[in-house]
Structures are given as C-alpha cells and as structure tokens.
C-alpha cells in the first residue's frame, strides 16, 4: 500500500520528494532548467525537497544547491509553507588525485557554523529538517550529535535527522537527540538492499526512513540485471521501471520516503506518480524475492 502523503516527524509531506543534488554538482543542468525542474515538481504536488550544504561542484562556490532551492521557492507561486526543505551538514567537496570527491567534517564547531550558513542560504530562521550528513571517523559520533542537539536547542533546526548510519549509531542518535530526531536517510535501492535492517530499525524507533539514490544513483556503474524484474513488472503495467522501483521501496513500510534525483522535469514528474501505484501481493513477492536473491 502506498499513499502520496506521509507523516515525517511533525510534518505531513509527500512520500516522493525531489533529491536536488544533481541540479548543482558535476553534470548539472543550466540554472534555468534546474529552477524549472523544481518548479514543475512543486506544481505537480511534490512537497519535500532534499538538499545539503555540500551540494556544489568541487572547487566551486559552496552551498549552490541550497541557494538554488531558495531561489526556486522564492519565485514559485504556490504555498511555500507546505514545502518541507531538508538539508544536511557534515560533508564538503574536495579533490582526491585530481578528481572531485566528498570529504567529511563532523567537528562540532563546523557543524554549528555550517548549519547557520545553511539557514542563511535557504533564507529561513529555522531549518525544517537538518541531517548530520555522515559520521566523521576523526570525531566521536556523540560529539557531533551533541552539536546537532545544540542546533535544535538554539532553534536553528526544528527537527533533526542522521544519515549514513548503522543501527548502533541510530540508537546513539536517539539517545542524544531524543524526540528531536525524526528521520534517518540511508542508501536503499534494488542495487543496495543491505540497509533493509536499518529501515526496519528506524520503523521500530518511530523514525522516517528516507532512501537516498533510490534508483541506484545517476553516475555510479550499477548492476543493471538487478532491475530486470522491475522492468518486467513495468512492461506488464505499461509504466517506467523507475516508477515500479520507487513504488516497491515505498511499499516496504509506511515510514519510507524516497528522494529520486532528476536533471529533467520529465523524470521527476514520472517518479512522483510512484506514490499512487499499488503493487499487488504477487508483484511484491516477486520483487522482494528478486531484490534479496
Ligand atoms: N545522504 C546522502 O549521503 C546522499 C547521498 C547521495 C544522494 N543523496 C540524495 O539522494 C538524491 C537522489 O540520488 P541520485 O540523484 O544520486 O540518484 P537516483 O535518484 O537514484 O537516480 C537519479 C537518476 O535517475 C534518473 N531518473 C529519476 N527518475 C526517473 C524516472 N522516473 N524515469 C527515468 N529515469 C529517472 C535521473 O534521470 P535524469 O538525470 O535524466 O533526470 C537520474 O539520472 C540526491 O539528489 C540527494 O538528495 C543523499
């Protein structure tokens, strides 16, 4: 069973959000197209935008995606207050062997500074949902979490999330952040199912589980054969296989959200329809079996 609107902490928002990363990093479309993608998603009913402090090109100006999201919302004619904007701190862009990469900085002072910069770039006093992007192996996770707790206390963030965490870190986050913690954002897709246990654990803690790169990502080479059973169901129904993948993820549990990326309006408009797609028991069994094989 899927439903287009779901409860995420104190928010009610769309089960399918727009992952905005690809609109501002390497391979991004031009600015006009990027704004149009966000506008068309919002016009079609999407009410969840996923961004991060670190969504900018390596070596380029920082926070370009947060500024893009703000510009898109400022120029949108719809109900801005209904849109949940989630951002993240703890990553920045770097180069490794001359290639653009992602680096972590989970020091408390960096998290606090970056979160305040995020609020500024987004043009808000209080961020709706602020994730700690990724644990920093150089910093005890508890210290990073305490900085996140401080950000909620100061009103910089209304609610908090953690991302790229195992069960142990999820439990620690719950302990340190209490009810301010509302979401976990981890990778989950037919090519990345090992986080299934984290999805279940998040449900047990009453937390939303937001799947990142729910279609396997737009750059990393992926095992395309994992998508064959989804292609088969898609062919039987006359829809895109991506829509079937997203519907399958949303059907895992009512705490699941997906934030597919898009460089074109057509792809997010198609993805948004996954929320209305009900897979039969037989289809779910078939896809679950294939995904865990
Ligand atoms: N928390 C984290 O550490 C983390 C890490 C990575 C990503 N994320 C979040 O996850 C979001 C999504 O991840 P992602 O962009 O890497 O990967 P993704 O959503 O798995 O894949 C995006 C790709 O799928 C294509 N696509 C999307 N919907 C489609 C449809 N209905 N039909 C056909 N093709 C479709 C897009 O095509 P086009 O390019 O042609 O539009 C794009 O190439 C990011 O934007 C970001 O917000 C979070």
């Amino acid at each position: 069973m899927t439903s287009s609107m779901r409860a995420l902490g104190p928010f009610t928002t769309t089960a399918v959000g727009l992952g905005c990363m690809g609109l501002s990093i390497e391979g991004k479309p031009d600015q006009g197209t990027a704004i149009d993608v966000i506008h068309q998603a919002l016009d079609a009913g999407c009410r969840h935008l996923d961004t991060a402090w670190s969504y900018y090109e390596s070596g380029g100006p920082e926070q370009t995606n947060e500024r893009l999201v703000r510009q898109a919302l400022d120029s949108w004619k719809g109900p801005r207050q209904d849109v949940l904007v989630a951002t993240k701190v703890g990553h920045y862009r770097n180069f490794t062997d001359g290639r653009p990469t992602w680096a972590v900085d989970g020091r408390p002072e960096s998290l606090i500074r970056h979160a305040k910069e995020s609020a500024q770039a987004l043009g808000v006093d209080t961020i709706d949902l602020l994730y700690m992007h990724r644990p920093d192996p150089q910093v005890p996770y508890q210290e990073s979490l305490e900085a996140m707790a401080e950000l909620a206390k100061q009103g910089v963030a209304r609610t908090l999330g953690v991302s790229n965490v195992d069960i142990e870190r999820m439990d620690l986050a719950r302990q340190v952040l209490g009810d301010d913690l509302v979401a976990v954002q981890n990778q989950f897709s037919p090519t990345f199912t090992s986080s299934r246990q984290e999805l279940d654990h998040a449900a047990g803690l009453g937390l939303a589980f937001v799947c990142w790169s729910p279609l396997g990502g737009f750059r990393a080479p992926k095992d395309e054969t994992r998508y064959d059973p989804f292609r088969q169901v898609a062919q039987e129904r006359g829809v895109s296989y991506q829509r079937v993948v997203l519907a399958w993820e949303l059907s895992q549990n009512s705490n699941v959200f997906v934030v597919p990326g898009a460089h074109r309006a057509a792809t997010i408009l198609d993805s948004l329809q996954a929320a209305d797609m009900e897979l039969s028991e037989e289809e779910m069994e078939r896809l679950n079996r294939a995904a865990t094989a």
Side-chain angles (χ1 to χ4, degrees), residues 101-280:
T101 49
W102 303 83
V104 284
D105 181 355
R107 289 173 296 173
E109 62 274 23
S110 305
L111 296 174
I112 287 179
R113 179 163 45 84
H114 287 175
K116 288 178 178 174
E117 289 170 359
S118 287
Q120 202 172 12
L122 290 169
V124 296
D125 292 330
T126 304
I127 294 164
D128 297 331
L129 169 57
L130 177 70
Y131 294 95
M132 159 85 194
H133 208 149
R134 189 181 288 275
D136 179 346
Q138 306 297 326
V139 179
Y141 196 47
Q142 171 128 4
E143 287 181 21
S144 297
L145 290 170
E146 280 164 4
M148 298 297 287
E150 181 59 27
L151 285 161
K153 199 167 147 210
Q154 289 181 18
V156 179
R158 179 170 173 200
T159 63
L160 300 170
V162 286
S163 182
N164 299 301
V165 289
D166 55 18
I167 285 174
E168 202 182 319
R169 287 200 172 98
M170 209 188 296
D171 284 340
L172 183 60
R174 172 55 106 195
Q175 206 182 305
V176 176
L177 305 177
D179 289 343
D180 288 334
L181 180 71
V182 299
V184 172
Q185 184 174 132
N186 275 7
Q187 187 172 10
F188 184 74
S189 69
T191 34
F192 197 97
T193 51
S194 59
S195 52
R196 175 66 224 221
Q197 51 182 340
E198 292 140 24
L199 186 159
D200 292 334
H201 196 73
L205 292 176
L207 301 172
F209 185 90
V210 180
C211 308
W212 68 254
S213 290
L215 297 166
F218 70 88
R219 281 184 313 173
K222 54 188 181 202
D223 177 3
E224 286 292 342
T225 61
R226 305 292 297 181
Y227 293 86
D228 286 346
F230 295 87
R231 287 194 179 93
Q232 204 181 343
V233 171
Q235 198 175 15
E236 289 159 13
R237 286 176 165 255
V239 298
S240 70
Y241 85 84
Q242 290 87 350
R243 213 191 287 187
V244 178
V245 169
L246 298 170
W248 169 76
E249 289 161 353
L250 293 175
S251 301
Q252 298 300 312
N253 204 312
S254 60
N255 71 323
V256 176
F257 293 78
V258 291
V259 285
H263 294 92
R264 306 175 285 136
T267 45
I268 186 62
L269 292 180
D270 183 64
S271 295
L272 286 169
Q273 295 183 60
D276 300 319
M277 185 172 188
E278 280 195 31
L279 294 167
S280 69

Side-chain angles (χ1 to χ4, degrees), residues 21-100:
M21 177 180 76
L23 298 174
S24 300
I25 67 165
E26 292 77 8
K28 67 185 165 69
D30 64 70
Q31 176 93 352
T33 303
I35 299 267
D36 184 55
V37 169
I38 299 174
H39 280 175
Q40 288 213 40
L42 294 171
D43 286 343
C46 176
R47 293 292 179 266
H48 179 180
L49 301 179
D50 187 74
T51 180
W53 189 97
S54 58
Y55 290 168
Y56 58 92
E57 290 174 294
S58 286
E62 294 159 348
Q63 296 184 274
T64 50
N65 195 246
E66 289 179 328
R67 277 194 286 276
L68 178 81
V69 165
R70 178 190 184 165
Q71 204 183 328
L73 287 169
D74 283 352
S75 57
W76 184 53
K77 305 276 183 280
R80 162 69 185 88
Q81 69 283 359
D82 292 353
V83 183
L84 165 63
V85 179
T87 192
K88 319 178 193 78
V89 287
H91 255 311
Y92 65 96
R93 303 304 309 278
N94 209 344
F95 290 98
T96 308
D97 300 329
R99 290 178 42 212

